[in-house]
Amino acid sequence: MPIQLINAQLVGHTGLYSLDIDQDMITALHPQAHWLDLDTNLVIDLEGDWLSLGGVDLQINGALGLAFPDLTPEHFPQLEKICEFLWHQGVDAFLPTLVTTSLKNFDRALSVLEHYCQEQSSPNRAKIWGVHLEGPFLNPEKCGAHPPQYLLPLTLTRVQQVLGDHLGLVKIITLAPELDPSDTVIPYLVNLGIQVSVGHSQASAEQAQSAFDLGASLVTHAFNAMPSLHHRQPGLLGAALYHSPIACGLIADGKHVDPLMLHLLLQRRDVTEKIFLVSDALAPLGLSDGHYPWDDREIEVSQGTARLLDGTLSGTTLSLLAGVKNLLGWKLCPAETAIALATESPRRALGQRGLAVGSPATLLRWHDRTPDGEIAWQRLDFGDL
């Protein structure tokens, strides 16, 4: 049944827009002042609220008690539950992130995810668009909570071992470029169609710039696990912010990066091209605070922050769209920007199309009419209309 949405604000557009929806696809999109056709079966007035696609999480390590590196074929039902859970958290698609682990675990988890991706077809589930390998080619001095015993040297042979037969599944790999003085690995990965993200690295600005020149296109969780910005040593983040095509992932939980630094970063005019939000959520996402296993160690989760028992920050248990609410609650940017950073920007970073004619109508409606004035979202479900 054709549906028309009217009086919607859209990211990157000025004024109100109307959208036609038919068979769960966006079939028309026009400035409302120029076009309005109410000869449809159903018209929904959005009353000036923001409208977006659902979020895309390019760095999420697990949920509902399951860490993605621990995947086995027996976890298929739990993986399905995670996809359903993330859908209800406003996420359209995600890249299960495999942190540093053994070669055996990498191969098993990749095999499970590859099989699942061939089977996934259920509606109302977040889609797996591929895998993000966060390691094992990280600088030991910046490995953070990654188990150092599984770190590997950055060589073509080792990279081929980790990738195995799963070249089409891996979409992003985080690595420390200074570990490859031969400068052969990044061009090899880029030629395979895998995006290289610089992270967990001690790279200088010069080394980072060299990596970008070779084809690296992303930075993993900006500010974290890398040299601090310094007025005489800008480091890899300084190089990334200067190098216009590079996009940086950002964790907006208030713990990984202080809101003041977030505010400085969000002042860029091209912020939605340079920054995208990630959750960096761990396996306890969706569970209560407490102690949980993490590889052969233990993490403590308190108020959405996960740490090893020695205090090392290891991730969050906040969903992707919690970062949007945080940015707006801290008054760091307009609603349009915050929404874009979780919905449009990660799609752009992955080379995917955003909200446009021909896009699936997996839409979120955003408004601030809650009692406390906090922005809220809801999925627009056309299935029962």
Side-chain angles (χ1 to χ4, degrees):
M1 171 174 56
I3 299 168
Q4 188 169 73
L5 309 179
I6 64 173
N7 295 318
Q9 292 193 78
L10 304 178
V11 170
H13 298 273
T14 302
L16 297 177
Y17 272 70
S18 296
L19 294 83
D20 268 12
I21 310 296
D22 196 7
Q23 297 184 349
D24 297 322
M25 299 292 291
I26 299 173
T27 57
L29 187 159
H30 289 284
Q32 193 155 300
H34 298 163
W35 180 82
L36 190 61
D37 175 15
L38 299 183
D39 293 331
T40 56
N41 293 338
L42 181 65
V43 176
I44 300 175
D45 187 352
L46 297 185
E47 302 176 317
D49 288 344
W50 287 99
L51 190 68
S52 76
L53 297 174
V56 173
D57 199 344
L58 303 186
Q59 187 178 0
I60 174 172
N61 308 284
L64 302 181
L66 176 63
F68 294 132
D70 297 335
L71 278 168
T72 68
E74 289 71 31
H75 286 124
F76 256 66
Q78 195 168 355
L79 191 53
E80 183 78 359
K81 289 180 181 178
I82 289 173
C83 292
E84 182 180 10
F85 169 77
L86 292 176
W87 175 263
H88 290 294
Q89 294 293 310
V91 174
D92 280 358
F94 66 106
L95 298 187
T97 301
L98 305 183
V99 297
T100 302
T101 186
S102 68
L103 288 173
K104 179 181 178 181
N105 286 351
F106 271 126
D107 183 63
R108 186 187 64 233
L110 287 168
S111 296
V112 172
L113 288 165
E114 192 161 48
H115 186 196
Y116 182 84
C117 287
Q118 294 168 356
E119 301 288 332
Q120 60 179 350
S121 59
S122 302
N124 301 332
R125 303 285 191 278
K127 297 294 188 290
I128 294 176
W129 279 357
V131 172
H132 178 170
L133 297 183
E134 190 184 357
F137 308 108
L138 313 179
N139 192 312
E141 296 178 24
K142 289 293 183 181
C143 66
H146 288 244
Q149 69 269 28
Y150 294 128
L151 296 178
L152 294 177
L154 184 56
T155 66
L156 282 177
T157 299
R158 288 298 197 178
V159 168
Q160 290 164 351
Q161 279 184 301
V162 172
L163 293 176
D165 298 325
H166 311 290
L167 302 182
L169 182 66
V170 177
K171 301 303 180 184
I172 297 175
I173 183 167
T174 293
L175 54 78
E178 69 275 17
L179 302 182
D180 176 28
S182 70
D183 289 340
T184 58
V185 172
I186 292 176
Y188 171 77
L189 292 167
V190 172
N191 286 336
L192 291 175
I194 297 173
Q195 292 204 61
V196 174
S197 187
V198 179
H200 287 277
S201 166
Q202 284 279 42
S204 65
E206 292 76 18
Q207 289 171 317
Q209 184 63 56
S210 176
F212 300 145
D213 291 341
L214 290 170
S217 56
L218 304 173
V219 169
T220 296
H221 43 49
F223 290 105
N224 298 116
M226 62 187 62
S228 299
L229 280 173
H230 188 278
H231 60 288
R232 285 192 293 270
Q233 296 176 328
L236 75 86
L237 183 56
L241 295 177
Y242 176 78
H243 197 78
S244 57
I246 305 304
C248 303
L250 192 65
I251 306 169
D253 64 345
K255 301 296 184 181
H256 281 76
V257 184
D258 188 276
L260 177 60
M261 294 302 290
L262 292 177
H263 187 255
L264 292 175
L265 198 60
L266 296 174
Q267 298 312 298
R268 295 183 61 101
R269 293 184 62 184
D270 59 348
V271 61
T272 59
E273 298 177 9
K274 291 291 295 184
I275 305 296
F276 58 91
L277 291 182
V278 297
S279 71
D280 197 28
L282 300 183
L285 172 64
L287 306 180
S288 59
D289 286 357
H291 287 73
Y292 295 93
W294 201 67
D295 54 55
D296 59 353
R297 296 167 293 173
E298 189 174 330
I299 55 173
E300 180 179 9
V301 176
S302 177
Q303 297 181 325
T305 300
R307 297 179 183 273
L308 297 177
L309 298 188
D310 65 3
T312 301
L313 192 60
S314 55
T316 76
T317 57
L318 299 178
S319 65
L320 178 69
L321 299 190
V324 176
K325 292 187 175 184
N326 283 340
L327 294 182
L328 296 176
W330 298 327
K331 297 179 170 53
L332 299 186
C333 62
E336 178 180 13
T337 300
I339 293 169
L341 293 179
T343 61
E344 294 287 313
S345 300
R347 284 179 167 86
R348 182 184 296 112
L350 207 58
Q352 298 289 328
R353 181 172 57 175
L355 194 154
V357 173
S359 299
T362 53
L363 300 172
L364 305 182
R365 178 181 183 176
W366 303 77
H367 64 84
D368 57 3
R369 291 187 294 277
T370 58
D372 57 5
E374 183 181 80
I375 195 164
W377 59 267
Q378 66 179 103
R379 276 204 180 270
L380 295 183
D381 184 0
F382 308 116
D384 298 327
L385 298 178

